Amino acid sequence: MTYIDPHIHMVSRTTDDYQRMAQAGCVAITEPAFWAGFDRSSPQGFYDYFRQLTDTEPKRASLYGIQHHCWLCINPKEAEDVGFAREVISLIPEFMSCPNVLGIGEIGLNKNSKNELTILEEQLALAEQHNQLVLVHTPHLEDKLKGTLLIMDAVANTSISPDRVLIDHVEEHTVSAVLDRGFWAGMTLYPDSKCTPQRAADIIESVGSERIWINSAGDWGPSDPLAVPKCQVEMASRGHTGALIQKISYDNPLEFLSQSGKFKVS
Amino acid sequence: MSNPSQLSKTEVIDRYFLEHRAKLLDIAAFLDRIDRAEGDDGSDFRIDALLECAKQLHSSEIGRTERMLLLLSDSTTEPVDSAGTKGATGAVPPKS
Ligand SMILES: [Zn+2]
């Protein structure tokens, strides 16, 4: 079945993954800028990363018939040094007009610190100023609930409409708060943390299928670039309709991402 | 609006029982593995949290996953002064 993976870090994946994703029905992806597993030593390292996301990766994806899009930002794991983060933020506007840039992301919080919050607010201001969509990373594990609430409050202090913000990595204890406040919600399908395909299917059964999507967040750590089609199979095997499965894995991402005016499917 | 389950209770049990029986045995084996290992016999906040969560398995009310996640969440509301580390442990460390 055709699908969109709206959150995957292909710079960390092989061309074999692109091939398998294409074979499994992937027609488009979006790749948020994130932490590389180590801290970059200079803002120039981010400049090169942004070139990779806007130039190299779309070409690699196109070989497999997959439309590649990206989001730019300084991620929360490297936002503790405010001066460094501001230098990176100053590089972003020059890339915003690239045809595959959909917005600012994945911004958010990691350890819920004051400096992370300052940089989150400054990047929300950048999105506001340039009328960009926003993709939000919520913290891991014990920090998720608190971080999700702080992030939603930070967005509420801007003029950005919640329906232009996707709050990612929701789980059972955050999904309803995110949806109730009018945001879009993303469920990340991971083997050991976040949601499994089964729990994501449980959440769809419980909270419904409006303003919610699934993604693999495949990267350099334990993750599965085929997690979205695995969740499609899980839902089909439970007897859910093709229309419902298509809604969460294709129609919903298409609706949210099309607000950018730049999103394309193959 | 929710999307009702398409499976009967028996179908859910038939389909998932063995998988979750194995997961429960894994937890028991994990606790035994800790006990057999050398080192400090004192408690570990992560294991204490896991055992507290396990009490939810005896609840008969829907929402067990959410309640477990709340037990594993930092319930403070103010940003911390500095990030310190990048990682998270999976349970709330003492004095956090
Ligand atoms: Zn990510």
Side-chain angles (χ1 to χ4, degrees):
Chain A
M1 186 183 275
T2 300
Y3 75 93
I4 295 165
D5 192 338
H7 187 149
I8 185 163
H9 300 285
M10 293 309 295
V11 300
S12 305
R13 308 301 314 191
T14 64
T15 47
D16 285 355
D17 289 333
Y18 270 124
Q19 184 166 36
R20 281 191 286 257
M21 288 159 63
Q23 285 168 343
C26 183
V27 290
I29 56 176
T30 92
E31 174 157 7
F34 201 55
W35 191 51
F38 65 96
D39 290 353
R40 280 94 167 177
S41 58
S42 70
Q44 193 63 32
F46 281 88
Y47 188 87
D48 289 339
Y49 179 42
F50 295 161
R51 286 177 50 234
Q52 187 179 17
L53 290 175
T54 54
D55 186 33
T56 310
E57 217 51 49
K59 288 179 190 152
R60 215 158 70 99
S62 71
L63 295 176
Y64 300 89
I66 295 173
Q67 290 283 344
H68 180 281
H69 312 80
C70 69
W71 307 77
L72 302 178
C73 74
I74 174 129
N75 66 81
K77 286 198 180 191
E78 286 171 281
E80 188 65 8
D81 179 342
V82 169
F84 183 94
R86 285 181 180 144
E87 284 191 63
V88 176
I89 294 170
S90 73
L91 302 173
I92 295 172
E94 119 174 42
F95 288 92
M96 271 181 191
S97 57
C98 292
N100 76 329
V101 175
L102 302 185
I104 301 297
E106 51 187 307
I107 55 172
L109 297 171
N110 181 50
K111 294 305 291 179
N112 302 323
S113 75
K114 289 178 179 168
N115 286 359
E116 288 171 9
L117 191 57
T118 298
I119 293 303
L120 167 66
E121 288 165 348
E122 291 182 15
Q123 295 193 97
L124 287 171
L126 183 70
E128 200 173 17
Q129 195 186 339
H130 294 268
N131 194 29
Q132 296 287 302
L133 293 179
V134 174
L135 185 79
V136 168
H137 164 92
T138 54
H140 300 280
L141 303 169
E142 70 269 22
D143 300 314
K144 181 179 299 293
L145 176 65
K146 173 179 174 178
T148 302
L149 299 173
L150 286 169
I151 290 164
M152 291 194 293
D153 288 345
V155 177
N157 287 333
T158 71
S159 64
I160 301 172
S161 170
D163 63 4
R164 290 178 58 84
V165 179
L166 182 295
I167 301 202
D168 218 333
H169 318 317
V170 300
E171 293 180 58
E172 288 85 346
H173 60 323
T174 56
V175 63
S176 294
V178 167
L179 293 174
D180 289 350
R181 289 178 68 164
F183 295 99
W184 284 74
M187 291 186 288
T188 293
L189 311 169
Y190 265 2
D192 298 327
S193 61
K194 305 190 170 79
C195 275
T196 57
Q198 290 180 354
R199 279 173 51 215
D202 292 334
I203 290 173
I204 294 291
E205 288 175 357
S206 304
V207 306
S209 41
E210 295 303 321
R211 280 181 289 114
I212 192 162
W213 75 30
I214 51 176
N215 62 68
S216 73
D219 62 6
W220 42 264
S223 55
D224 179 1
L226 296 179
V228 171
K230 283 178 185 169
C231 190
Q232 289 180 317
V233 170
E234 170 70 23
M235 290 187 67
S237 71
R238 291 187 190 189
H240 288 298
T241 63
L244 175 62
I245 298 166
Q246 180 179 316
K247 183 167 173 60
I248 60 147
S249 56
Y250 186 89
D251 298 345
N252 282 355
L254 182 66
E255 183 182 342
F256 177 78
L257 299 166
S258 293
Q259 295 182 86
S260 68
K262 290 173 161 184
F263 184 72
K264 293 192 206 116
V265 287
S266 296
Chain B
M1 201 174 58
S2 64
N3 298 291
S5 172
Q6 303 296 306
L7 303 175
S8 69
K9 288 189 194 309
T10 307
E11 284 171 328
V12 173
I13 296 167
D14 287 348
R15 187 184 156 97
Y16 295 105
F17 177 73
L18 282 180
E19 178 186 342
H20 295 286
R21 173 185 184 275
K23 287 182 178 176
L24 204 55
L25 292 173
D26 269 348
I27 294 169
F30 169 53
L31 296 176
D32 284 354
R33 199 175 308 142
I34 296 168
D35 286 345
R36 283 187 286 104
E38 295 289 332
D40 185 1
D41 277 336
S43 69
D44 182 290
F45 73 95
R46 293 165 296 181
I47 302 304
D48 294 346
L50 208 60
L51 295 175
E52 190 59 33
C53 286
K55 292 179 186 166
Q56 288 299 325
L57 299 177
H58 292 277
S59 166
S60 51
E61 255 180 81
I62 284 187
R64 300 169 186 87
T65 323
E66 180 178 3
R67 291 195 296 277
M68 281 192 194
L69 284 165
L70 292 174
L71 287 168
L72 296 170
S73 294
D74 178 2
S75 58
T76 66
T77 56
E78 290 302 312
V80 295
D81 286 335
S82 76
T85 162
K86 285 196 205 296
T89 56
V92 186
K95 281 188 254 128
S96 114

